[in-house]
Amino acid sequence: MRFEHRAVPIVLAAVLIDTIGFGIIMPVFPTLITTIGHVDLEQATRIAGYMLVIFAVTQFFAGPVLGNLSDRFGRRPVLIASMLAFGMDYALMAWAPTLAWLFLGRAIAGIAGAVYGPASSVLADVTPPEKRSGVFGLIGAAFGIGFVIGPAIGGLLADFGPRAPFAAAAILALGNALVMTLAMPETLARENRRPFKLRDAHVIGAFRPLFHAGNAAPLLAAWFVWQLAHMVYPSTWSFWAAIRFNWDPRAIGLSLAFVGFVMALVQGGLTGRIIARVGEKRALVIGLVSAGVSFLAFAFITQSWQAYALFVVSALSGLIFPAMNGLLSRMVDASHQGALQGGIGSMGSVSSILGPLLLTQALATGVDHGFPGAAFLLAGLLAFTALGILVWKVLDRVPRTAEPVA
């Protein structure tokens, strides 16, 4: 592939390595928390939920700060500093003797993980406007590939102990920081930089764009509820699989890699065709029904092979995001498209805070009462709530364009 600038593949590699590093640790997180904290899996689930909340909160507040710092000092130093922070964080978690150190590590990871804004800014700096959407899509592809590779590697490295994947992630991040230091050019010209003002680097203003998306409010509400439901996978999967099927880190890692692979196939090969054939409205309904049914089925399955079968069914949930984005873009006028995307980003941050808290506590409470599928039951109810909002308030109001092809 030919890139517009040599900074592009370096940034994409950074996103890929960052995602691999995140995925590597997922299979061993239950074992590490139970070992360090001397707790059972049910208690570890609650603790992991709090850690995910810490990660999301620090990332939420750090995002505007890192973005404004990159506008003042350039993209390169901010990206390098974030990769160094990731490397030190993973090294800290590989060594952490107590749960308090793990919480500190998750807070540092949240701050460093707010780097996607500066990374996207690099692509905008060096890419012509007419080609930016395609290049931005490569960030999503890098994320998807990393989420397939990371858990698989993490599951294999778990044979060397629950801390080994953290050490590997630290090496990856620090190696990436070194490559950036040696090879990545600065992409923000000095004449385009602006002073850093703390009043601009806050999150309160992030929600103002939602007030400009009046007609889209019900669809945005459905989107938010769906995002809460979708958090059941990153929040609870490793713990639920260990509790429900007694899977070890290798089995957990392979299952996550399989999920990523199936989703990549559907999103890369079928999503566009299905939406073109049935239209955005029907595709959105298909995606939400698939997700809701799959979540409810996960709540009650008893055999591990059934989980793999449901992965295939739930892959149709990959229709939800592109179909919903298409509908949203036609419910808001051209002058408010940017505001709409800003509001979506803000809600995504909030769902990343609330979702893990709700779903991990649901899993732990369910285990207390002999029902480990409680988190998936809640996710299923949320998915069908989103569907209900769509049917009740949204679908009959969307302009009739981009409907099924003949």
Side-chain angles (χ1 to χ4, degrees), residues 39-262:
V39 296
D40 58 22
L41 274 173
E42 177 220 321
Q43 292 172 302
T45 301
R46 295 184 188 275
I47 292 169
Y50 299 139
M51 287 184 182
L52 287 169
V53 170
I54 289 292
F55 177 91
V57 168
T58 54
Q59 186 177 67
F60 183 46
F61 283 96
V65 175
L66 290 188
N68 280 271
L69 285 174
S70 75
D71 284 342
R72 170 63 182 89
F73 298 104
R75 321 302 187 197
R76 184 175 179 272
V78 173
L79 287 168
I80 292 173
S82 293
M83 287 302 110
L84 287 172
F86 262 128
M88 291 186 290
D89 169 60
Y90 287 130
L92 171 66
M93 296 186 73
W95 164 82
T98 65
L99 289 176
W101 285 100
L102 287 182
F103 273 98
L104 175 61
R106 288 293 81 194
I108 296 172
I111 295 171
V115 77
Y116 286 101
S120 297
S121 297
V122 169
L123 303 186
D125 290 340
V126 302
T127 308
E130 68 275 9
K131 296 183 179 181
R132 284 177 187 166
S133 59
V135 175
F136 286 145
L138 294 176
I139 289 185
F143 185 88
I145 294 170
F147 198 76
V148 173
I149 297 173
I153 295 176
L156 295 174
L157 289 176
D159 291 342
F160 300 97
R163 296 179 187 267
F166 289 89
I171 293 171
L172 279 174
L174 292 174
N176 192 31
L178 178 61
V179 170
M180 282 186 164
T181 302
L182 296 175
M184 182 176 172
E186 178 55 62
T187 60
L188 182 64
R190 290 192 177 276
E191 60 269 21
N192 293 329
R193 300 183 188 186
R194 60 181 178 84
F196 177 84
K197 297 179 180 179
L198 190 60
R199 67 174 180 267
D200 296 329
H202 62 79
V203 299
I204 297 176
F207 293 96
R208 291 175 185 160
L210 294 178
F211 295 106
H212 297 289
N215 290 336
L219 187 51
L220 286 169
W223 185 93
F224 179 72
V225 174
W226 157 246
Q227 282 292 99
L228 290 177
H230 188 256
M231 289 302 298
V232 73
Y233 288 125
S235 302
T236 70
W237 179 261
S238 296
F239 295 89
W240 176 80
I243 293 168
R244 193 71 187 89
F245 301 124
N246 199 30
W247 281 357
D248 61 14
R250 178 190 287 264
I252 293 171
L254 292 176
S255 70
L256 289 169
F258 182 80
V259 171
F261 177 71
V262 172

Side-chain angles (χ1 to χ4, degrees), residues 42 46 240 243-244 299-302 362-375 377:
E42 177 220 321
R46 295 184 188 275
W240 176 80
I243 293 168
R244 193 71 187 89
F300 297 100
I301 61 174
T302 57
L363 173 58
T365 302
V367 171
D368 271 346
H369 294 84
F371 180 52
L377 179 60

